[in-house]
Amino acid sequence: MDKDIKKINDILVNLFNLVLKLEEESIRSASSHDISITEIHTLVAVGTGRPRTMTHVANLLGVKVSTLTTAVNKLVKKGYVERLRDEKDRRIVKIRLTEQGVSAVNEHEQFHETMIREAISQVPGGELQQFISSIDNINQFLMVRSSMCHARSTPFAMEPLQLGAHQLPVPIVQAGMSIGVAGSRLASSVAIEGGLGLIGTSEIGYRSADYRKNRLKANLTAIEQQVSEACRIRDEAGGKGLIGVSIMWDRQNSGKYVEAAVKGGAQVIVTSAGIPKDLPGCCSDKRIALIPTISSKRAASAIIRSWSQKYNRVPDGFILQGPYAAGLLGFKEEQLDRAQEEWYRLIADVKAELSGLENCPLIAGGGIFHKKDAEKAYRYGADGFLMGTRFVATEECDAPEEYKKRYLNCTSNDVTIVKSPVKTLVRAMGNDFTDRLAEGGSDDYDIIEAVRRGVEGDYDEGLVFCGVNADEITEISTVKDVFREFTSS
């Protein structure tokens, strides 16, 4: 081993062991000497603030709820923690520190503050910021290495996914494309093959006779009918896959859309375009899987933290939409290049974030076109695969035939990126409308209305979403063909 490398290694190992030893000595001499290091760390996770759910604390510690339960039982007996019922929902049990527990945490935090202050006093004042920057760089590197431990070296396998109370036989998810592109016909066809078929809910009732009079009523009625019809078709064909909906959470009445989908028999609720912090409040039935769509590890962490604290629940999975996807992207212009460079690292990072949860699969979407694309995402930690563009170009897709032909005629030069009204990016086929947006025209437009125009055949002034690989569509295939490609050995 190189001399410098060996010295750094010895320092890091020694630092870890010394801090651990000092902590042990501190606890032995503290007033709360009857608890272990693991138990004091559990108390710190419970925190001195408002009560937290067991799920929330387990997530902070990166352990299973069952493991935490054993630890908390001991701390309750020792008088450091107490259990109480949530005032708004008596079914939810929360935990908080007793006065003895608060005292133990404060004493432990004081030990750490004193230790760090004394340690950094050895660093010359003018070098402190450089020292902080250096150790932060090492910390960031080790965090990335930690994420990559979830990368797989095992052979690619299309294994079933557990989504809440339901098992998905084949880990393929068809994107919930809106304005009638992904309706009951496409979703049921996907479910018959064992995948998750999603019905796009945005303006789903635009073909209804009373749509102009009462948009909301028409949409809610159409959601319930389309979901019910998809379930019926799947059941009659003996399909074992799942039926769900995709709901844009930044739109009004998203909670009512959830209610309509549940009435129709949806087994899965997928959200996009926003952080759905209150989704469990709209659907308390834990038999229905709730799956948010995200584009960052930070978003996943925020949702897990919010749901576990407020609802004592965590998502039943996440869809990670990457920078190569169709339609609305969760990236701004200045973020896109870096997101494309780090796409597979992002999969690993998010997978690491979810690893502490008992069952929360990661579904990767964006640029998944061929089996080899899924294989690469799988190696970095993806458990399932979301596809949209491939399913538009199928016989079963609910979109008009002329709409599908746009994909047949699409070249790589036709795929463009423009800004959305919320300043993030959109990937679509180029036309007069996108040209004006790209040339610096106003991005204050109704994106749903623009998509509707595209679906209805206004290919000059409408938006036709497509993925980065849309130019690879050479024929209108079938849903069965797509599944056959991905599941064949």
Side-chain angles (χ1 to χ4, degrees):
M1 185 183 292
D2 180 271
K3 183 178 179 181
D4 289 338
I5 297 297
K6 185 178 186 306
K7 185 171 184 178
I8 293 171
N9 178 73
D10 291 345
I11 290 172
L12 289 174
V13 171
N14 196 46
L15 274 174
F16 175 81
N17 291 330
L18 278 174
V19 170
L20 194 62
K21 184 178 180 180
L22 288 169
E23 277 195 309
E24 289 173 341
E25 292 176 353
S26 171
I27 290 172
R28 279 198 297 269
S29 61
S31 57
S32 53
H33 55 271
D34 61 335
I35 55 178
S36 66
I37 288 180
T38 300
E39 288 176 323
I40 193 67
H41 290 166
T42 301
L43 296 180
V44 170
V46 175
T48 57
R50 62 184 183 178
R52 288 176 167 169
T53 66
M54 292 284 287
T55 305
H56 189 184
V57 177
N59 291 338
L60 293 174
L61 291 169
V63 300
K64 295 181 178 181
V65 174
S66 56
T67 302
L68 177 64
T69 300
T70 303
V72 168
N73 287 341
K74 294 180 180 179
L75 289 169
V76 169
K77 288 182 180 179
K78 292 178 180 181
Y80 291 96
V81 173
E82 61 182 351
R83 290 187 172 94
L84 62 156
R85 296 282 178 180
D86 186 270
E87 293 181 0
K88 295 181 179 179
D89 189 341
R90 302 294 294 175
R91 295 170 297 176
I92 297 177
V93 176
K94 292 189 175 182
I95 54 176
R96 69 181 174 192
L97 300 182
T98 61
E99 288 186 12
Q100 185 179 350
V102 171
S103 176
V105 168
N106 288 339
E107 195 170 0
H108 184 70
E109 290 180 344
Q110 182 60 49
F111 153 73
H112 270 283
E113 182 176 346
T114 301
M115 179 180 65
I116 297 301
R117 285 189 183 279
E118 292 176 353
I120 64 174
S121 68
Q122 307 304 307
V123 180
E127 299 177 13
L128 182 59
Q129 291 305 313
Q130 183 177 350
F131 171 73
I132 293 172
S133 177
S134 297
I135 60 173
D136 184 52
N137 287 339
I138 293 173
N139 180 55
Q140 293 296 326
F141 169 77
L142 292 176
M143 286 176 65
V144 172
R145 286 294 298 270
S146 163
S147 298
M148 292 309 296
C149 72
H150 297 283
R152 298 186 178 99
S153 57
T154 55
F156 176 69
M158 296 287 282
E159 299 174 346
L161 294 185
Q162 193 66 36
L163 299 179
H166 306 285
Q167 186 177 72
L168 184 68
V170 183
I172 289 179
V173 180
Q174 159 251 311
M177 299 158 286
S178 291
I179 326 287
V181 175
S184 59
R185 186 183 181 205
L186 177 57
S188 61
S189 299
V190 169
I192 288 170
E193 298 301 323
L196 168 57
L198 296 177
I199 294 171
T201 60
S202 295
E203 303 308 317
I204 189 174
Y206 83 98
R207 294 191 182 103
S208 303
D210 59 346
Y211 176 72
R212 298 297 179 185
K213 295 179 181 178
N214 191 330
R215 275 184 157 190
L216 178 59
K217 181 180 178 182
N219 287 331
L220 296 179
T221 299
I223 291 171
E224 185 175 348
Q225 291 176 343
Q226 288 283 310
V227 171
S228 178
E229 177 69 3
C231 290
R232 182 192 66 78
I233 297 171
R234 176 206 55 195
D235 293 345
E236 289 182 355
K240 302 299 183 183
L242 305 177
I243 298 294
V245 296
S246 179
I247 299 173
M248 293 181 66
W249 208 250
D250 63 349
R251 296 269 152 173
Q252 286 186 335
N253 302 306
S254 53
K256 292 182 179 179
Y257 279 29
V258 171
E259 293 173 5
V262 171
K263 285 182 182 178
Q267 298 159 294
V268 181
I269 305 292
V270 169
T271 65
S272 62
I275 304 295
K277 290 186 177 181
D278 54 344
L279 174 57
C282 301
C283 181
S284 59
D285 188 345
K286 292 191 176 181
R287 293 171 299 178
I288 299 172
L290 305 182
I291 304 178
T293 299
I294 56 169
S295 57
S296 70
K297 175 182 175 181
R298 187 176 181 180
S301 178
I303 293 170
I304 293 169
R305 185 169 59 250
S306 174
W307 286 22
S308 58
Q309 173 66 30
K310 190 174 180 182
Y311 300 104
N312 198 32
R313 181 172 184 174
V314 295
D316 297 296
F318 280 96
I319 291 175
L320 177 62
Q321 179 172 273
Y324 299 105
L328 279 166
L329 306 177
F331 307 96
K332 295 184 178 180
E333 189 171 7
E334 63 273 15
Q335 299 171 324
L336 187 62
D337 287 344
R338 183 174 180 180
Q340 291 175 336
E341 292 171 2
E342 300 183 351
W343 167 227
Y344 293 102
R345 173 183 157 184
L346 178 59
I347 294 175
D349 282 349
V350 175
K351 181 63 179 178
E353 182 71 15
L354 308 186
S355 62
L357 304 181
E358 294 194 39
N359 180 52
C360 189
L362 177 62
I363 299 162
I368 308 291
F369 193 89
H370 297 295
K371 184 178 180 179
K372 62 181 176 61
D373 303 318
E375 289 174 339
K376 188 169 184 180
Y378 175 86
R379 288 200 299 273
Y380 282 84
D383 303 298
F385 315 99
L386 175 80
M387 291 183 284
T389 299
R390 279 299 298 269
F391 285 114
V392 174
T394 60
E395 295 175 5
E396 297 89 346
C397 179
D398 297 86
E401 293 305 309
E402 285 300 317
Y403 187 89
K404 300 177 190 180
K405 289 179 181 178
R406 302 291 295 181
Y407 285 76
L408 281 176
N409 299 323
C410 183
T411 68
S412 58
N413 292 331
D414 293 325
V415 181
T416 188
I417 290 178
V418 294
K419 286 184 179 180
S420 75
V422 293
K423 313 306 178 187
T424 55
L425 299 178
V426 174
R427 181 173 280 109
M429 292 187 195
N431 57 16
D432 292 347
F433 181 65
T434 60
D435 286 347
R436 288 200 304 275
L437 293 177
E439 290 169 3
S442 173
D443 54 13
D444 182 19
Y445 62 95
D446 186 334
I447 191 168
I448 295 297
E449 179 62 22
V451 174
R452 186 188 63 78
R453 292 196 299 268
V455 173
E456 291 188 329
D458 189 347
Y459 301 123
D460 291 326
E461 295 299 327
L463 273 179
V464 177
F465 290 162
C466 65
V468 71
N469 296 318
D471 61 306
E472 295 193 43
I473 297 291
T474 58
E475 63 178 355
I476 301 298
S477 60
T478 66
V479 167
K480 186 179 288 292
D481 290 334
V482 177
F483 273 79
R484 186 183 294 115
E485 177 188 338
F486 280 79
T487 57
S488 62
S489 56

